[in-house]
Amino acid sequence: MGQSSLRRYLQSLAHSGQLSSTGLEIGLQRCGVLPDAERWHRFVDRLLLGGGALLILAGIIFFFAFNWTGLHRFQKMALVSLPLIVAASRAVLVGVDRAEGKAWLASGVVLAGVLLAVIGQIYQTGADSELLFAGWAVLTLPWVVAGRAPWLWLFWLVLVNTALTVFLVGRLDVWVFFFFNDAMFWAPLLVNALALALWEALWPRIVWMRAAYAPRLIAAFSAVAGTTLGVSWWFLGSGTHWNAMPYVPLVYVPWLAATFWFYSQHRRDIVPLVFGALSAIVVLTAGLIDGLSDQFWRDGMAAFFMLGISVAAMTAVAAVWLRRVLRHWSEAGMVGVGEKHHA
Amino acid sequence: MLERVLEQLRAEGYLQGDTGDVFAEADAGHDLSPWVLALQMAGGWLSALFLLLFLGVGAAPLIDSAEAWFVVGVLIIGATGALMGRKEVMAGSPVWRQFLLVASLAGHGALLVGTMETSSHERGIALAMVALFESFMLLWVRWMPHRIVSALMFGGCLLVSFNKLLAPEFAAFWPPLYWAAVSALWLSESRWQASFQSEALYALATGLMLVVLGGSLGLFLDFSMPLRGIGAYGGVYPLAAVCAVNVISLAVPARPALTAWNHVLAAVLMLAVIGLTWRAPAIGMGMLVLLFGFARGHRWLLALGGVVLVWGVGRFYYDLQLTLLDKSGLMVLGGVLLLSVRWLVGLKGDQK
């Protein structure tokens, strides 16, 4: 029973008159909801340590910021390279099997990007912004592989997605008609779906990959990319110059179907199913808005009413299906990943 | 662990009666997967917004006076409030509950539109009446999300009516007044948490706190932009009053723990830090909220306090009219001070 459930339970006893006010306070203390002296000491200690360290670190950064323009370019690069070398060396010495080693390795991964940014600032080559993130991802890939940490892979995937997004946004202009096929806008969904498929394929074989949060976050990235693509299809799919847009359902629908099948029948995780359901609701709502667009001009009241009822109905259907899935897992003794026995 | 604690409480005379059914009632509406619940809340909100646009498009042309807006607002809030309090609604679909909440928000919005339609010299009275109505809703509707909305409306409408009805020099003291109420409520939670209206008091503490923190972060009002003083009205006295509330609220509950010289010195140093940053009260307020959250086991309060504290410190240093070099020195000094306090707290000092 979690802390909020414990508190709710004890408060219910108090509200029903069975537990006195003093008893409620004592009960909360004994159940660990309220901290004891030892927890207080640990909290104050960590708060002061964290606050003090952050302030000193910020002071050091401000000191270098004050002197930055006066530094020679080699001094600037040395200021970033030295911590990078220290971080990498510590990671090797401590070993990436330990949490401390992984933390040093992660620091090195971050500092590599900072070094690239400093180099880019010093030597202004006019390169596109996405090259920074793409280069950062490529150069740090060996370290991320060596790190064997789900959170480090997620950070790396964020770099890839950032590079991709910056690339696409930078080409939302006339160039897309002459030099690039608009199918490139499918790339975020394809990249993230591929990442998720690879993760799930390796999940049974590699122990450190079995962290529930990692595939859930990748599924969230896929859902955002898929939803954006699906919504765009409704408004850009026909009568426009976006040549590849009419074929979006060939990508979106299989992705949605595969997500629903895999996580309801195979891996049993409610979270990607919720993301998929939410994506479907948003895309279908966008379709309704597109279909009712003429109606808004003639009779906005009726259009809003239909939208409201439709969204409520879709949400209810999705919730009923998801609860049925959870009940099926529970009855078959197959509790889903990260889920308690919910109806 | 819970069973053992309940046995102890029963043996010590604090607990009576059978505890079997209470849990089922307490858990009513909490048996859903939190993810499915989140989906239903999102869908409920989206659906409700569209349906309210439907009502708005249809009804807005018919509402042409402040009184009409007030009537519409009171009717919507009253109707949704009456439904929210029913057991079958609370135990039913979250989509329906979220729809009622959004509809209620539209009713609160109608009240605000009505106040804006009143003339300038009547607005203060109108806002005070709205605040009175919201205080009634805070007590009547027994659902926490709606209680928090009512508390926010109560706090917001009351302070704007202060500004309209009172002289500016007095109106500027609403932050320390509210903050004193918030501190008193959180400090005394152990006394009222078992009472019948504990939810209302919890919502009131939350609502007033969010109103004051919103003001201190400069989201609205001129209050407490660090080092810029309090704006056009009360000068620095309201800032000093807030600082005094912070110091008292920290010092009074900490007294029992000050049993050794090193603890006393550590406490004096920390109170001196709060005193030195009195012109940036978000720092002291953030620290207080952080400690309230930890002391009372409310994680959301702990997180909120952390965010406000970091924002307050950052904004304080940003607004300092000093060079980066001087700021860096101050930061390092601040860090050394905190680590010194940590060292003092960790010492095995002699007990008094």
Side-chain angles (χ1 to χ4, degrees), chain B residues 20 23 39 60 99 128 132 155-157 172-173 177 192 264 267 275 289:
Chain B
F23 183 64
L39 171 77
F99 176 81
L132 187 64
C157 291
F173 277 88
L177 198 67
W192 53 257
V264 173
V289 171

Side-chain angles (χ1 to χ4, degrees), chain A residues 126-132 134 162-185 187 242:
Chain A
D128 294 319
S129 307
E130 64 266 18
L131 288 177
L132 167 66
T162 306
L164 206 51
T165 307
V166 172
F167 172 77
L168 291 173
V169 168
R171 273 140 193 83
L172 272 178
D173 55 21
V174 68
W175 294 101
V176 74
F177 299 114
F178 295 109
F179 292 99
F180 302 104
N181 191 311
D182 53 297
M184 68 182 179
F185 293 109
W242 300 93

Side-chain angles (χ1 to χ4, degrees), chain A residues 1 3 6-15 18-28 30-31 33-35 39-41 43 45 47-49 51-52 55-56 58-60 62-63 65-66 216 270-271 274-275 277-278 281 285 289 301 304-305 307-309 311-312 315 318-319 322-323 326 339 342-343, chain B residues 1-2 5-6 8-9 12 14-19 22-23 26-27 30-36 39-40 42-44 46-47 50-51 53-54 57-58 95 189-191 193-196 198 270 290-291 294-299 302 313 317 323-325 327-328 331-332 334-336 338-339 341-342 345-346:
Chain A
M1 197 184 281
Q3 285 209 344
L6 277 171
R7 183 192 290 269
R8 202 166 51 243
Y9 176 60
L10 290 171
Q11 277 185 316
S12 297
L13 289 176
H15 292 159
Q18 291 176 260
L19 185 62
S20 67
S21 169
T22 310
L24 173 59
E25 187 74 2
I26 293 171
L28 289 172
R30 289 180 185 169
C31 286
V33 175
L34 301 181
R39 274 175 62 192
W40 262 113
H41 191 268
F43 173 72
D45 180 73
L47 189 65
L48 292 170
L49 178 63
L55 274 176
I56 290 174
I60 293 170
F62 268 56
F63 175 79
F66 174 76
R216 286 176 176 178
I270 198 69
V271 176
V274 168
F275 290 152
L278 205 50
I281 290 170
T285 303
I289 291 173
M301 271 182 69
F304 284 130
F305 181 77
L307 280 168
I309 295 298
V311 171
T315 305
L322 288 166
R323 289 176 79 169
L326 281 172
E339 288 294 324
H342 294 288
Chain B
M1 177 186 64
L2 178 62
V5 170
L6 291 176
Q8 289 171 354
L9 292 172
E12 290 162 13
Y14 296 117
L15 178 65
Q16 277 98 39
D18 179 26
T19 56
V22 181
F23 183 64
D27 228 31
H30 296 278
D31 58 343
L32 279 176
S33 161
W35 294 99
V36 179
L39 171 77
Q40 290 181 288
L46 195 56
S47 162
F50 283 128
L51 288 171
L53 280 169
F54 153 69
V57 168
V95 177
E189 190 188 5
S190 59
R191 294 202 189 111
Q193 63 184 347
S195 73
F196 181 66
S198 61
M270 286 309 301
L290 186 79
L291 293 174
F294 184 75
R296 300 307 309 166
H298 298 301
R299 285 183 192 162
L302 186 69
V313 170
Y317 281 106
T323 62
L324 284 177
L325 183 65
K327 286 188 188 183
S328 74
M331 282 183 176
V332 170
V336 167
L338 290 181
L339 293 176
V341 171
R342 177 178 177 259
V345 169

